[in-house]
Amino acid sequence: MSSMPNSIARVNRYEGNATVSTTPYRPDESTARKLERAQTSFLETIVGRRGGLRSILSQVEAVAPTNATVLITGETGTGKEVIARAIHELSPRRSRNLVKVNCAAMPAGLLESELFGHERGAFTGAVNSHIGRFALADRGTLFLDEIGDLPLELQPKLLRVLQEREFEAVGSMRTIQVDVRVVVATNRDLRQMVQDGEFREDLYYRLNIFPLSLPALRERKADIPEFVTYFVEQFATSMDKVIETIPEEAMRSLVRHPWPGNIRELQNYVARGVILSTDGVFQPAPPEKCEPAPVEIRNPTLEDKVRREILVACQRANWQLGGPRGAAARLGLKRTTLFHKMKRLGIRRPADDLQD
Ligand SMILES: Nc1ncnc2c1ncn2[C@@H]1O[C@H](COP(=O)(O)OP(=O)(O)OP(=O)(O)O)[C@@H](O)[C@H]1O
Ligand SMILES: [Mg+2]
């Protein structure tokens, strides 16, 4: 019988001198007792656990076994969802559901019935009753992603369920009690939103019990080689390719790049590089030049803050101002308002073409 083809790709040789750890993650003893094998193996998939994420993960280990609400913040693609999952996996709730809801994905009415469920006939089109995500997450964890986009009119209802652990489905008089651990994430500045009257202060304080702020990839450049080798192996395996070498110059240019889209952008970039690589060498095109990440200013004026927020939103939206994923929508502004603010602050698109 012929032997099975070996489709497991391995990165055998990386010519650079950045150290890439191959030792499995070993939590300290007291934590280890709390964790079972499955949990540890989840942590092993987290890149940077011994580098830029070390302190975040020790906070995750501390908060996971409790029922405390966790607020995860960080730019797009920094791994907020990965951390939300880690909190669930390391908690006693791990054998129950981890239910996710994206608060930015739908209008308020639909979101309310998605979260809390509805009775049959509660509104036009409600042919059947519908069980909401809070009920589905009973005794488990509910991950509310993009919480900064939760419409103002739904905020009191969320506050109530967090405080009283009870709610009513849309169109129902019956109060439902639940035992749900809530983890929320956002890339928006909730404190600023409170000041601008866009987010309820009471809800903000109720969510901000245990904040975790994830670093941008450019602030943890030392982790980039580990990410690259991890993603190269992952994609090579799934594409049934063998990649043996990552040339040092390729790695250096990846470490230098600012990665405004953070880990997700790097991941997509590596996937493209693996598809195009031949002869077992990972030789991606140098990452495209992009606007440098907006610099943090020491004592920013209000104008600096607004300028920075607009720049970040524009870069994330690829300088598209209008449309549902455009910068104006991200900032919660009308496109024309954004256009005037940009003009006043002297912000110009790289293409210098603001006529859309
Ligand atoms: N520490 C990590 N180790 C391995 N993979 C990671 C890590 N962090 C993030 N990733 C991967 O990077 C991608 C982006 O992560 P994730 O979706 O958690 O980011 P996010 O902060 O929720 O982004 P967004 O704000 O755009 O929703 C995912 O494919 C995820 O698996
Ligand atoms: Mg996310």
Side-chain angles (χ1 to χ4, degrees):
M1 208 174 88
S2 65
S3 61
M4 295 281 288
N6 180 6
S7 63
I8 308 290
R10 291 239 152 262
V11 178
N12 291 332
R13 193 152 59 90
Y14 154 54
E15 294 170 342
N17 48 16
T19 42
V20 178
S21 153
T22 51
T23 337
Y25 171 76
R26 296 247 182 276
D28 64 55
E29 253 192 56
S30 69
T31 319
R33 259 179 271 121
K34 283 185 235 143
L35 301 177
E36 288 173 5
R37 262 207 155 75
Q39 300 165 278
T40 318
S41 70
F42 180 83
L43 280 177
E44 279 171 11
T45 65
I46 297 186
V47 175
R49 60 194 173 272
R50 285 141 73 89
L53 275 193
R54 196 205 298 245
S55 85
I56 295 282
L57 286 181
S58 64
Q59 294 179 70
V60 165
E61 286 177 347
V63 77
T66 73
N67 281 330
T69 304
V70 180
L71 166 62
I72 308 169
T73 55
E75 292 180 10
T76 183
T78 44
K80 296 186 289 297
E81 189 160 345
V82 169
I83 294 300
R85 178 166 288 280
I87 293 168
H88 176 72
E89 294 293 333
L90 269 63
S91 79
R93 294 170 178 263
R94 67 187 171 280
S95 57
R96 314 289 299 198
N97 290 334
L98 168 65
V99 177
K100 177 185 162 180
V101 180
N102 184 333
C103 302
M106 53 196 112
L110 269 183
L111 183 59
E112 180 174 11
S113 89
E114 190 64 20
L115 287 171
F116 304 106
H118 64 245
E119 281 296 309
R120 187 172 157 196
F123 48 84
T124 323
V127 186
N128 295 312
S129 63
H130 168 74
I131 180 165
R133 299 289 169 128
F134 262 99
L136 276 179
D138 193 24
R139 297 168 64 200
T141 306
L142 182 66
F143 173 41
L144 298 177
D145 203 1
E146 317 245 19
I147 190 73
D149 293 282
L150 183 73
L152 264 171
E153 64 257 47
L154 285 187
Q155 293 181 12
K157 198 159 174 178
L158 175 62
L159 183 63
R160 173 167 166 234
V161 69
L162 290 173
Q163 277 169 347
E164 321 280 337
R165 298 164 153 229
E166 60 179 37
F167 62 90
E168 287 89 33
V170 179
S172 165
M173 306 288 281
R174 194 165 59 92
T175 300
I176 302 172
Q177 256 130 23
V178 278
D179 165 18
V180 172
R181 202 272 177 83
V182 174
V183 176
V184 303
T186 181
N187 54 22
R188 301 182 65 177
D189 182 348
L190 287 188
R191 201 188 304 258
Q192 185 64 47
M193 289 182 72
V194 169
Q195 275 169 25
D196 297 343
E198 293 170 6
F199 202 87
R200 285 181 69 109
E201 191 172 22
D202 47 9
L203 179 58
Y204 170 70
Y205 287 119
R206 183 61 190 71
L207 294 175
N208 196 27
I209 294 171
F210 196 90
L212 281 176
S213 160
L214 301 192
L217 191 54
R218 63 182 173 280
E219 291 158 7
R220 45 186 290 218
K221 280 179 177 290
D223 291 343
I224 291 180
E226 189 187 349
F227 269 115
V228 174
T229 42
Y230 174 79
F231 289 139
V232 165
E233 263 194 43
Q234 223 185 29
F235 289 120
T237 304
S238 68
M239 294 173 197
D240 213 4
K241 281 187 134 179
V242 175
I243 302 226
E244 297 196 309
T245 309
I246 302 174
E248 188 170 357
E249 188 36 52
M251 188 66 95
R252 267 207 223 106
S253 88
L254 299 184
V255 172
R256 271 196 306 265
H257 192 68
W259 301 110
N262 295 293
I263 301 161
R264 183 176 298 103
E265 188 187 7
L266 174 64
Q267 189 178 31
N268 294 340
Y269 179 82
V270 170
R272 208 157 55 233
V274 169
I275 293 170
L276 297 176
S277 67
T278 49
D279 304 336
V281 180
F282 179 69
Q283 193 64 283
E288 282 161 34
K289 279 220 165 69
C290 65
E291 285 274 290
V295 214
E296 295 273 4
I297 301 174
R298 223 163 236 280
N299 290 312
T301 62
L302 183 61
E303 194 159 278
D304 293 329
K305 286 187 189 164
V306 174
R307 180 181 287 106
R308 186 182 149 83
E309 186 139 335
I310 291 180
L311 261 175
V312 169
C314 287
Q315 288 181 6
R316 286 193 190 139
N318 262 329
W319 290 90
Q320 172 145 2
L321 305 190
R325 302 198 66 86
R330 282 165 189 261
L331 292 161
L333 297 174
K334 281 202 218 147
R335 196 185 63 81
T336 43
T337 314
L338 173 60
F339 180 83
H340 289 300
K341 277 186 191 288
M342 287 171 70
K343 248 184 145 168
R344 193 171 53 78
L345 295 166
I347 301 174
R348 299 163 75 88
R349 283 204 296 215
D352 197 20
D353 156 29
L354 290 173
Q355 310 310 319
D356 69 345

